[in-house]
Amino acid sequence: MITVLIVDDHGLVRDGIRRLLEDCPDIEVVGEAREGQEAVRLAQELQPTVVLMDLSLPGMDGIEATKRILAAGIKTRILMLTMHANEEYALRVLQAGAQGFVVKEDPSQELVTAIHAVASNGTYVSPAISKRLPTRITQEQDRPNVLAALSDRELQVLKRFAEGFTTGQIARDLYLSVKTVETYRARLLDKLGLQTTVDLIRFALRNGVIEDLW
């Protein structure tokens, strides 16, 4: 039996995934978590076969939670679930030690296929980006990548600014102080050679951090 821990901060998403997996006779959902810290605790407690981890979580994100779970020596497999069909995110997820990457826009059967793949000690990358990933890896080897120079937290902050979040909203969403978010914004502008938040939005659109908002 494949046991699964679902980690997502949206109750409707967790309910939908649970209902989907309940129809699979060889998969059992053993727990749910709403944020990264809870995911780490439940992974240690339940030791599921697979942790289905949302990438964008409040506070500790899915990448950091993945690193902490694996650092604890837990024999579980991490399958990342995200709304972003972006090669940079996929690379960061795999580099963090996750065994799979699924995009939320994929057909539901893709999720079941991915769970079976990683539970069998395989890897799985969403078809939405698997064809582009080798090219992205080659590009990273051939020349420095601007996004790769950003930390995971900087990328989180960039994404939220680009999506129109205010500094206060970002602070609440990521459990940071407003001053810390402002520091990240200044650091992003400096690293990327930009001047304004509008420049950050344009940069994020050009580099696939977010989809076109218009």
Side-chain angles (χ1 to χ4, degrees):
M1 178 68 69
I2 299 171
T3 56
V4 175
L5 169 63
I6 302 172
V7 184
D8 196 289
D9 57 329
H10 295 96
L12 287 175
V13 174
R14 295 196 306 273
D15 289 345
I17 293 173
R18 177 182 281 274
R19 286 196 295 271
L20 170 66
L21 299 184
E22 282 175 348
D23 291 333
C24 302
D26 62 339
I27 297 177
E28 178 186 4
V29 176
V30 293
E32 298 180 15
R34 294 169 293 181
E35 47 85 26
Q37 291 278 11
E38 186 180 20
V40 175
R41 178 180 63 80
L42 287 178
Q44 292 175 322
E45 178 182 321
L46 301 171
Q47 302 207 11
T49 312
V50 176
V51 176
L52 182 59
M53 181 84 72
D54 188 20
L55 177 60
S56 300
L57 295 170
M60 182 192 301
D61 71 357
I63 290 178
E64 181 60 27
T66 293
K67 291 177 180 177
R68 296 197 184 189
I69 288 171
L70 297 179
I74 302 169
K75 292 183 178 180
T76 190
R77 311 279 287 178
I78 309 292
L79 176 61
M80 199 72 73
L81 183 63
T82 177
M83 62 182 292
H84 304 287
N86 180 286
E87 301 98 296
E88 180 64 35
Y89 285 113
L91 282 174
R92 287 173 183 255
V93 164
L94 298 174
Q95 288 166 354
Q99 286 75 37
F101 185 96
V102 177
V103 179
K104 289 183 178 179
E105 291 184 356
D106 288 339
S108 58
Q109 188 55 43
E110 290 291 338
L111 178 58
V112 176
T113 299
I115 289 173
H116 281 113
V118 300
S120 301
N121 294 322
T123 58
Y124 186 92
V125 177
S126 170
I129 59 172
S130 60
K131 292 181 180 179
R132 303 197 304 268
L133 195 56
T135 300
R136 171 65 183 79
I137 293 172
T138 300
Q139 289 173 343
E140 184 175 77
Q141 293 170 340
D142 290 344
R143 58 180 172 80
N145 179 265
V146 179
L147 289 179
L150 303 181
S151 69
D152 293 336
R153 182 63 87 186
E154 287 169 345
L155 190 59
Q156 290 174 2
V157 173
L158 171 63
K159 173 181 173 295
R160 284 162 176 78
F161 269 124
E163 289 174 337
F165 283 47
T166 66
T167 301
Q169 288 172 328
I170 296 172
R172 289 191 295 273
D173 193 42
L174 297 179
Y175 295 90
L176 302 171
S177 69
V178 169
K179 183 177 180 180
T180 299
V181 174
E182 290 173 345
T183 298
Y184 275 117
R185 176 183 176 276
R187 192 180 301 168
L188 283 166
L189 292 173
D190 181 60
K191 276 190 173 184
L192 301 175
L194 303 175
Q195 306 250 338
T196 67
T197 300
V198 173
D199 292 334
L200 287 176
I201 294 172
R202 290 171 177 160
F203 173 87
L205 286 168
R206 286 196 306 269
N207 288 274
V209 175
I210 58 171
E211 300 298 325
D212 198 327
L213 300 176
W214 299 279

